[in-house]
Amino acid sequence: MNTRVKILLVLIIGALCLTCPGVESLPREVIAASAHRLDPQANATNRFTLNSAQSKFIAHALRGGLLWFKGHEHLVAAREFTGEAQITPETITHASLQLVVKADSMAETSDAFTEPQKQIINKELREIVLETGKYPEIVFKSTEVKGKLLAAGQYDLKIGGDLTLHGVTRQIVIPARVTVTGDNLRAVGEFSIDRSDFNVKATSAFHGMVRVRKKVKFTFDIVGHRM
């Protein structure tokens, strides 16, 4: 007997029970619970491929140097990344996230800088700050997910995991508001790191244009599509 037939039988039996004395308040709850258990998709793990073209992942770094652009904030965007998110609707602890950023796709996007300045900044980012020749990828892999279900398809999560940056791996926690609508997932949030924890230095060569404070804030608005 297939699943749809089973669910139909449960609904029919439940409807008949409405006429039974003494069980007026029971059948609707029983029917809903039974149908949920028999539906193979009810607790299935949903897998989503992340789409960098439709997403934003930006590092905000406050300026720390003394040149003519003092006070300007660096807005460094990750233009290319891949990844996968998994979430089981009724079991948040089974959720997971993996994100791989192509390090040399990190680029200055702030309107505070001219195009020639951005070219210098991006060169310093690749060759001195991130050393993309040695460390081509920035990787995050979740190890634990906590949080709560806010409403149908809406989650408030804290995603703990390992961030590997500049050849150094540290554990961090990323707070995120996650929404699943049909075949689409969206995750929005922010977190901060201390760049010195990952041996990431401000530049001292070339024009020294990437001279930022230790704390770097990341904001993200990531879109994924069901696999």
PDB file of all heavy atoms in Angstrom, residues 164-196:
ATOM      1  N   THR A 164      38.497  28.488   8.209  1.00  0.00           N
ATOM      2  CA  THR A 164      39.903  28.408   7.796  1.00  0.00           C
ATOM      3  C   THR A 164      40.197  29.597   6.891  1.00  0.00           C
ATOM      4  O   THR A 164      39.638  29.730   5.799  1.00  0.00           O
ATOM      5  CB  THR A 164      40.197  27.100   7.053  1.00  0.00           C
ATOM      6  OG1 THR A 164      39.908  25.989   7.926  1.00  0.00           O
ATOM      7  CG2 THR A 164      41.664  27.030   6.647  1.00  0.00           C
ATOM      8  N   LEU A 165      41.079  30.466   7.370  1.00  0.00           N
ATOM      9  CA  LEU A 165      41.437  31.698   6.663  1.00  0.00           C
ATOM     10  C   LEU A 165      42.941  31.899   6.759  1.00  0.00           C
ATOM     11  O   LEU A 165      43.512  31.809   7.847  1.00  0.00           O
ATOM     12  CB  LEU A 165      40.688  32.889   7.292  1.00  0.00           C
ATOM     13  CG  LEU A 165      41.107  34.291   6.884  1.00  0.00           C
ATOM     14  CD1 LEU A 165      40.848  34.538   5.400  1.00  0.00           C
ATOM     15  CD2 LEU A 165      40.357  35.323   7.729  1.00  0.00           C
ATOM     16  N   HIS A 166      43.575  32.129   5.630  1.00  0.00           N
ATOM     17  CA  HIS A 166      45.017  32.397   5.619  1.00  0.00           C
ATOM     18  C   HIS A 166      45.799  31.254   6.258  1.00  0.00           C
ATOM     19  O   HIS A 166      46.807  31.449   6.940  1.00  0.00           O
ATOM     20  CB  HIS A 166      45.303  33.719   6.339  1.00  0.00           C
ATOM     21  CG  HIS A 166      46.626  34.317   5.997  1.00  0.00           C
ATOM     22  ND1 HIS A 166      47.625  34.488   6.932  1.00  0.00           N
ATOM     23  CD2 HIS A 166      47.122  34.789   4.832  1.00  0.00           C
ATOM     24  CE1 HIS A 166      48.687  35.033   6.364  1.00  0.00           C
ATOM     25  NE2 HIS A 166      48.408  35.239   5.076  1.00  0.00           N
ATOM     26  N   GLY A 167      45.299  30.022   6.062  1.00  0.00           N
ATOM     27  CA  GLY A 167      45.986  28.844   6.559  1.00  0.00           C
ATOM     28  C   GLY A 167      45.772  28.544   8.025  1.00  0.00           C
ATOM     29  O   GLY A 167      46.353  27.598   8.568  1.00  0.00           O
ATOM     30  N   VAL A 168      44.926  29.329   8.704  1.00  0.00           N
ATOM     31  CA  VAL A 168      44.663  29.147  10.130  1.00  0.00           C
ATOM     32  C   VAL A 168      43.190  28.784  10.311  1.00  0.00           C
ATOM     33  O   VAL A 168      42.313  29.378   9.690  1.00  0.00           O
ATOM     34  CB  VAL A 168      44.980  30.430  10.925  1.00  0.00           C
ATOM     35  CG1 VAL A 168      44.655  30.244  12.401  1.00  0.00           C
ATOM     36  CG2 VAL A 168      46.441  30.829  10.732  1.00  0.00           C
ATOM     37  N   THR A 169      42.926  27.812  11.198  1.00  0.00           N
ATOM     38  CA  THR A 169      41.552  27.392  11.468  1.00  0.00           C
ATOM     39  C   THR A 169      41.172  27.766  12.898  1.00  0.00           C
ATOM     40  O   THR A 169      41.892  27.451  13.848  1.00  0.00           O
ATOM     41  CB  THR A 169      41.387  25.872  11.267  1.00  0.00           C
ATOM     42  OG1 THR A 169      41.716  25.532   9.909  1.00  0.00           O
ATOM     43  CG2 THR A 169      39.952  25.442  11.554  1.00  0.00           C
ATOM     44  N   ARG A 170      40.038  28.435  13.032  1.00  0.00           N
ATOM     45  CA  ARG A 170      39.514  28.827  14.339  1.00  0.00           C
ATOM     46  C   ARG A 170      38.024  28.523  14.380  1.00  0.00           C
ATOM     47  O   ARG A 170      37.332  28.578  13.366  1.00  0.00           O
ATOM     48  CB  ARG A 170      39.721  30.325  14.591  1.00  0.00           C
ATOM     49  CG  ARG A 170      41.185  30.741  14.717  1.00  0.00           C
ATOM     50  CD  ARG A 170      41.726  30.411  16.091  1.00  0.00           C
ATOM     51  NE  ARG A 170      43.069  30.955  16.270  1.00  0.00           N
ATOM     52  CZ  ARG A 170      44.183  30.302  16.001  1.00  0.00           C
ATOM     53  NH1 ARG A 170      44.111  29.067  15.512  1.00  0.00           N
ATOM     54  NH2 ARG A 170      45.370  30.852  16.193  1.00  0.00           N
ATOM     55  N   GLN A 171      37.522  28.257  15.583  1.00  0.00           N
ATOM     56  CA  GLN A 171      36.093  28.048  15.749  1.00  0.00           C
ATOM     57  C   GLN A 171      35.392  29.394  15.934  1.00  0.00           C
ATOM     58  O   GLN A 171      35.860  30.242  16.700  1.00  0.00           O
ATOM     59  CB  GLN A 171      35.810  27.151  16.961  1.00  0.00           C
ATOM     60  CG  GLN A 171      36.153  25.690  16.732  1.00  0.00           C
ATOM     61  CD  GLN A 171      35.604  24.800  17.820  1.00  0.00           C
ATOM     62  OE1 GLN A 171      35.400  25.224  18.957  1.00  0.00           O
ATOM     63  NE2 GLN A 171      35.346  23.556  17.485  1.00  0.00           N
ATOM     64  N   ILE A 172      34.287  29.574  15.223  1.00  0.00           N
ATOM     65  CA  ILE A 172      33.505  30.789  15.348  1.00  0.00           C
ATOM     66  C   ILE A 172      32.018  30.414  15.407  1.00  0.00           C
ATOM     67  O   ILE A 172      31.649  29.265  15.122  1.00  0.00           O
ATOM     68  CB  ILE A 172      33.735  31.771  14.177  1.00  0.00           C
ATOM     69  CG1 ILE A 172      33.239  31.161  12.849  1.00  0.00           C
ATOM     70  CG2 ILE A 172      35.201  32.157  14.073  1.00  0.00           C
ATOM     71  CD1 ILE A 172      33.217  32.160  11.704  1.00  0.00           C
ATOM     72  N   VAL A 173      31.178  31.370  15.767  1.00  0.00           N
ATOM     73  CA  VAL A 173      29.732  31.181  15.758  1.00  0.00           C
ATOM     74  C   VAL A 173      29.115  32.264  14.876  1.00  0.00           C
ATOM     75  O   VAL A 173      29.417  33.457  15.050  1.00  0.00           O
ATOM     76  CB  VAL A 173      29.138  31.256  17.172  1.00  0.00           C
ATOM     77  CG1 VAL A 173      27.612  31.165  17.107  1.00  0.00           C
ATOM     78  CG2 VAL A 173      29.702  30.144  18.050  1.00  0.00           C
ATOM     79  N   ILE A 174      28.281  31.860  13.947  1.00  0.00           N
ATOM     80  CA  ILE A 174      27.635  32.784  13.017  1.00  0.00           C
ATOM     81  C   ILE A 174      26.137  32.827  13.305  1.00  0.00           C
ATOM     82  O   ILE A 174      25.435  31.848  13.070  1.00  0.00           O
ATOM     83  CB  ILE A 174      27.867  32.355  11.554  1.00  0.00           C
ATOM     84  CG1 ILE A 174      29.362  32.290  11.252  1.00  0.00           C
ATOM     85  CG2 ILE A 174      27.156  33.301  10.600  1.00  0.00           C
ATOM     86  CD1 ILE A 174      29.677  31.797   9.846  1.00  0.00           C
ATOM     87  N   PRO A 175      25.608  33.939  13.819  1.00  0.00           N
ATOM     88  CA  PRO A 175      24.156  34.071  13.977  1.00  0.00           C
ATOM     89  C   PRO A 175      23.517  34.314  12.606  1.00  0.00           C
ATOM     90  O   PRO A 175      24.056  35.070  11.787  1.00  0.00           O
ATOM     91  CB  PRO A 175      23.998  35.304  14.878  1.00  0.00           C
ATOM     92  CG  PRO A 175      25.378  35.610  15.382  1.00  0.00           C
ATOM     93  CD  PRO A 175      26.326  35.092  14.367  1.00  0.00           C
ATOM     94  N   ALA A 176      22.374  33.699  12.350  1.00  0.00           N
ATOM     95  CA  ALA A 176      21.725  33.864  11.055  1.00  0.00           C
ATOM     96  C   ALA A 176      20.219  33.724  11.187  1.00  0.00           C
ATOM     97  O   ALA A 176      19.726  32.906  11.968  1.00  0.00           O
ATOM     98  CB  ALA A 176      22.259  32.846  10.050  1.00  0.00           C
ATOM     99  N   ARG A 177      19.506  34.527  10.414  1.00  0.00           N
ATOM    100  CA  ARG A 177      18.058  34.373  10.263  1.00  0.00           C
ATOM    101  C   ARG A 177      17.839  33.669   8.915  1.00  0.00           C
ATOM    102  O   ARG A 177      18.187  34.203   7.870  1.00  0.00           O
ATOM    103  CB  ARG A 177      17.371  35.729  10.290  1.00  0.00           C
ATOM    104  CG  ARG A 177      15.856  35.680  10.156  1.00  0.00           C
ATOM    105  CD  ARG A 177      15.195  35.031  11.341  1.00  0.00           C
ATOM    106  NE  ARG A 177      15.463  35.690  12.596  1.00  0.00           N
ATOM    107  CZ  ARG A 177      14.714  36.679  13.104  1.00  0.00           C
ATOM    108  NH1 ARG A 177      13.652  37.114  12.451  1.00  0.00           N
ATOM    109  NH2 ARG A 177      15.020  37.214  14.266  1.00  0.00           N
ATOM    110  N   VAL A 178      17.278  32.477   8.975  1.00  0.00           N
ATOM    111  CA  VAL A 178      17.132  31.644   7.778  1.00  0.00           C
ATOM    112  C   VAL A 178      15.654  31.494   7.429  1.00  0.00           C
ATOM    113  O   VAL A 178      14.830  31.215   8.306  1.00  0.00           O
ATOM    114  CB  VAL A 178      17.769  30.253   7.988  1.00  0.00           C
ATOM    115  CG1 VAL A 178      17.540  29.365   6.764  1.00  0.00           C
ATOM    116  CG2 VAL A 178      19.263  30.397   8.280  1.00  0.00           C
ATOM    117  N   THR A 179      15.348  31.678   6.163  1.00  0.00           N
ATOM    118  CA  THR A 179      13.978  31.520   5.675  1.00  0.00           C
ATOM    119  C   THR A 179      13.972  30.541   4.511  1.00  0.00           C
ATOM    120  O   THR A 179      14.769  30.671   3.580  1.00  0.00           O
ATOM    121  CB  THR A 179      13.402  32.863   5.197  1.00  0.00           C
ATOM    122  OG1 THR A 179      13.462  33.810   6.263  1.00  0.00           O
ATOM    123  CG2 THR A 179      11.953  32.706   4.753  1.00  0.00           C
ATOM    124  N   VAL A 180      13.086  29.558   4.591  1.00  0.00           N
ATOM    125  CA  VAL A 180      12.925  28.586   3.501  1.00  0.00           C
ATOM    126  C   VAL A 180      11.531  28.782   2.919  1.00  0.00           C
ATOM    127  O   VAL A 180      10.527  28.659   3.622  1.00  0.00           O
ATOM    128  CB  VAL A 180      13.093  27.143   4.004  1.00  0.00           C
ATOM    129  CG1 VAL A 180      12.845  26.158   2.865  1.00  0.00           C
ATOM    130  CG2 VAL A 180      14.488  26.941   4.593  1.00  0.00           C
ATOM    131  N   THR A 181      11.497  29.105   1.630  1.00  0.00           N
ATOM    132  CA  THR A 181      10.235  29.319   0.925  1.00  0.00           C
ATOM    133  C   THR A 181      10.239  28.505  -0.350  1.00  0.00           C
ATOM    134  O   THR A 181      11.005  28.806  -1.282  1.00  0.00           O
ATOM    135  CB  THR A 181      10.024  30.806   0.582  1.00  0.00           C
ATOM    136  OG1 THR A 181      10.174  31.598   1.764  1.00  0.00           O
ATOM    137  CG2 THR A 181       8.638  31.030  -0.016  1.00  0.00           C
ATOM    138  N   GLY A 182       9.432  27.460  -0.392  1.00  0.00           N
ATOM    139  CA  GLY A 182       9.420  26.605  -1.575  1.00  0.00           C
ATOM    140  C   GLY A 182      10.782  25.988  -1.809  1.00  0.00           C
ATOM    141  O   GLY A 182      11.343  25.321  -0.935  1.00  0.00           O
ATOM    142  N   ASP A 183      11.358  26.240  -2.973  1.00  0.00           N
ATOM    143  CA  ASP A 183      12.664  25.683  -3.336  1.00  0.00           C
ATOM    144  C   ASP A 183      13.806  26.645  -3.049  1.00  0.00           C
ATOM    145  O   ASP A 183      14.935  26.423  -3.498  1.00  0.00           O
ATOM    146  CB  ASP A 183      12.683  25.301  -4.821  1.00  0.00           C
ATOM    147  CG  ASP A 183      11.786  24.112  -5.124  1.00  0.00           C
ATOM    148  OD1 ASP A 183      11.558  23.300  -4.210  1.00  0.00           O
ATOM    149  OD2 ASP A 183      11.313  23.999  -6.271  1.00  0.00           O
ATOM    150  N   ASN A 184      13.554  27.704  -2.302  1.00  0.00           N
ATOM    151  CA  ASN A 184      14.566  28.729  -2.073  1.00  0.00           C
ATOM    152  C   ASN A 184      14.879  28.894  -0.588  1.00  0.00           C
ATOM    153  O   ASN A 184      14.002  28.780   0.267  1.00  0.00           O
ATOM    154  CB  ASN A 184      14.089  30.076  -2.634  1.00  0.00           C
ATOM    155  CG  ASN A 184      13.800  30.005  -4.109  1.00  0.00           C
ATOM    156  OD1 ASN A 184      14.596  29.496  -4.886  1.00  0.00           O
ATOM    157  ND2 ASN A 184      12.640  30.502  -4.518  1.00  0.00           N
ATOM    158  N   LEU A 185      16.149  29.168  -0.316  1.00  0.00           N
ATOM    159  CA  LEU A 185      16.624  29.441   1.039  1.00  0.00           C
ATOM    160  C   LEU A 185      17.316  30.791   1.039  1.00  0.00           C
ATOM    161  O   LEU A 185      18.037  31.138   0.100  1.00  0.00           O
ATOM    162  CB  LEU A 185      17.582  28.348   1.500  1.00  0.00           C
ATOM    163  CG  LEU A 185      18.299  28.561   2.848  1.00  0.00           C
ATOM    164  CD1 LEU A 185      18.461  27.240   3.577  1.00  0.00           C
ATOM    165  CD2 LEU A 185      19.674  29.215   2.641  1.00  0.00           C
ATOM    166  N   ARG A 186      17.103  31.538   2.127  1.00  0.00           N
ATOM    167  CA  ARG A 186      17.798  32.813   2.288  1.00  0.00           C
ATOM    168  C   ARG A 186      18.308  32.914   3.715  1.00  0.00           C
ATOM    169  O   ARG A 186      17.566  32.663   4.664  1.00  0.00           O
ATOM    170  CB  ARG A 186      16.866  33.983   1.991  1.00  0.00           C
ATOM    171  CG  ARG A 186      17.541  35.349   2.074  1.00  0.00           C
ATOM    172  CD  ARG A 186      16.565  36.469   1.773  1.00  0.00           C
ATOM    173  NE  ARG A 186      17.225  37.765   1.811  1.00  0.00           N
ATOM    174  CZ  ARG A 186      16.573  38.931   1.732  1.00  0.00           C
ATOM    175  NH1 ARG A 186      15.249  38.935   1.592  1.00  0.00           N
ATOM    176  NH2 ARG A 186      17.242  40.074   1.784  1.00  0.00           N
ATOM    177  N   ALA A 187      19.579  33.271   3.868  1.00  0.00           N
ATOM    178  CA  ALA A 187      20.202  33.416   5.179  1.00  0.00           C
ATOM    179  C   ALA A 187      20.793  34.816   5.291  1.00  0.00           C
ATOM    180  O   ALA A 187      21.575  35.237   4.431  1.00  0.00           O
ATOM    181  CB  ALA A 187      21.283  32.368   5.383  1.00  0.00           C
ATOM    182  N   VAL A 188      20.420  35.536   6.355  1.00  0.00           N
ATOM    183  CA  VAL A 188      20.871  36.911   6.554  1.00  0.00           C
ATOM    184  C   VAL A 188      21.473  37.036   7.941  1.00  0.00           C
ATOM    185  O   VAL A 188      20.933  36.489   8.917  1.00  0.00           O
ATOM    186  CB  VAL A 188      19.691  37.903   6.410  1.00  0.00           C
ATOM    187  CG1 VAL A 188      20.157  39.326   6.642  1.00  0.00           C
ATOM    188  CG2 VAL A 188      19.051  37.760   5.030  1.00  0.00           C
ATOM    189  N   GLY A 189      22.600  37.745   8.049  1.00  0.00           N
ATOM    190  CA  GLY A 189      23.187  37.937   9.361  1.00  0.00           C
ATOM    191  C   GLY A 189      24.533  38.633   9.294  1.00  0.00           C
ATOM    192  O   GLY A 189      24.937  39.150   8.244  1.00  0.00           O
ATOM    193  N   GLU A 190      25.213  38.656  10.439  1.00  0.00           N
ATOM    194  CA  GLU A 190      26.546  39.250  10.506  1.00  0.00           C
ATOM    195  C   GLU A 190      27.337  38.616  11.647  1.00  0.00           C
ATOM    196  O   GLU A 190      26.770  38.080  12.599  1.00  0.00           O
ATOM    197  CB  GLU A 190      26.472  40.760  10.690  1.00  0.00           C
ATOM    198  CG  GLU A 190      25.884  41.216  12.002  1.00  0.00           C
ATOM    199  CD  GLU A 190      25.890  42.732  12.145  1.00  0.00           C
ATOM    200  OE1 GLU A 190      25.315  43.410  11.278  1.00  0.00           O
ATOM    201  OE2 GLU A 190      26.486  43.222  13.129  1.00  0.00           O
ATOM    202  N   PHE A 191      28.660  38.685  11.522  1.00  0.00           N
ATOM    203  CA  PHE A 191      29.551  38.196  12.570  1.00  0.00           C
ATOM    204  C   PHE A 191      30.876  38.920  12.440  1.00  0.00           C
ATOM    205  O   PHE A 191      31.147  39.579  11.424  1.00  0.00           O
ATOM    206  CB  PHE A 191      29.753  36.676  12.468  1.00  0.00           C
ATOM    207  CG  PHE A 191      30.455  36.227  11.212  1.00  0.00           C
ATOM    208  CD1 PHE A 191      31.822  35.970  11.215  1.00  0.00           C
ATOM    209  CD2 PHE A 191      29.754  36.051  10.024  1.00  0.00           C
ATOM    210  CE1 PHE A 191      32.484  35.548  10.063  1.00  0.00           C
ATOM    211  CE2 PHE A 191      30.398  35.638   8.870  1.00  0.00           C
ATOM    212  CZ  PHE A 191      31.756  35.388   8.886  1.00  0.00           C
ATOM    213  N   SER A 192      31.706  38.835  13.459  1.00  0.00           N
ATOM    214  CA  SER A 192      33.001  39.515  13.447  1.00  0.00           C
ATOM    215  C   SER A 192      34.119  38.558  13.804  1.00  0.00           C
ATOM    216  O   SER A 192      33.912  37.569  14.524  1.00  0.00           O
ATOM    217  CB  SER A 192      33.003  40.689  14.436  1.00  0.00           C
ATOM    218  OG  SER A 192      32.048  41.662  14.086  1.00  0.00           O
ATOM    219  N   ILE A 193      35.307  38.859  13.303  1.00  0.00           N
ATOM    220  CA  ILE A 193      36.506  38.117  13.668  1.00  0.00           C
ATOM    221  C   ILE A 193      37.626  39.109  13.973  1.00  0.00           C
ATOM    222  O   ILE A 193      37.555  40.284  13.591  1.00  0.00           O
ATOM    223  CB  ILE A 193      36.978  37.162  12.549  1.00  0.00           C
ATOM    224  CG1 ILE A 193      37.415  37.955  11.305  1.00  0.00           C
ATOM    225  CG2 ILE A 193      35.905  36.149  12.199  1.00  0.00           C
ATOM    226  CD1 ILE A 193      38.144  37.120  10.267  1.00  0.00           C
ATOM    227  N   ASP A 194      38.639  38.644  14.662  1.00  0.00           N
ATOM    228  CA  ASP A 194      39.865  39.405  14.876  1.00  0.00           C
ATOM    229  C   ASP A 194      40.873  38.899  13.840  1.00  0.00           C
ATOM    230  O   ASP A 194      41.262  37.729  13.882  1.00  0.00           O
ATOM    231  CB  ASP A 194      40.378  39.184  16.301  1.00  0.00           C
ATOM    232  CG  ASP A 194      41.551  40.087  16.652  1.00  0.00           C
ATOM    233  OD1 ASP A 194      42.357  40.396  15.739  1.00  0.00           O
ATOM    234  OD2 ASP A 194      41.681  40.452  17.824  1.00  0.00           O
ATOM    235  N   ARG A 195      41.278  39.766  12.921  1.00  0.00           N
ATOM    236  CA  ARG A 195      42.145  39.299  11.839  1.00  0.00           C
ATOM    237  C   ARG A 195      43.485  38.779  12.352  1.00  0.00           C
ATOM    238  O   ARG A 195      44.111  37.918  11.726  1.00  0.00           O
ATOM    239  CB  ARG A 195      42.367  40.408  10.810  1.00  0.00           C
ATOM    240  CG  ARG A 195      43.062  41.641  11.323  1.00  0.00           C
ATOM    241  CD  ARG A 195      43.307  42.648  10.195  1.00  0.00           C
ATOM    242  NE  ARG A 195      43.855  43.895  10.696  1.00  0.00           N
ATOM    243  CZ  ARG A 195      45.134  44.073  11.020  1.00  0.00           C
ATOM    244  NH1 ARG A 195      45.987  43.070  10.907  1.00  0.00           N
ATOM    245  NH2 ARG A 195      45.553  45.238  11.462  1.00  0.00           N
ATOM    246  N   SER A 196      43.913  39.254  13.533  1.00  0.00           N
ATOM    247  CA  SER A 196      45.184  38.784  14.081  1.00  0.00           C
ATOM    248  C   SER A 196      45.105  37.325  14.501  1.00  0.00           C
ATOM    249  O   SER A 196      46.126  36.626  14.568  1.00  0.00           O
ATOM    250  CB  SER A 196      45.609  39.652  15.266  1.00  0.00           C
ATOM    251  OG  SER A 196      44.677  39.568  16.329  1.00  0.00           O
TER     252      SER A 196
END
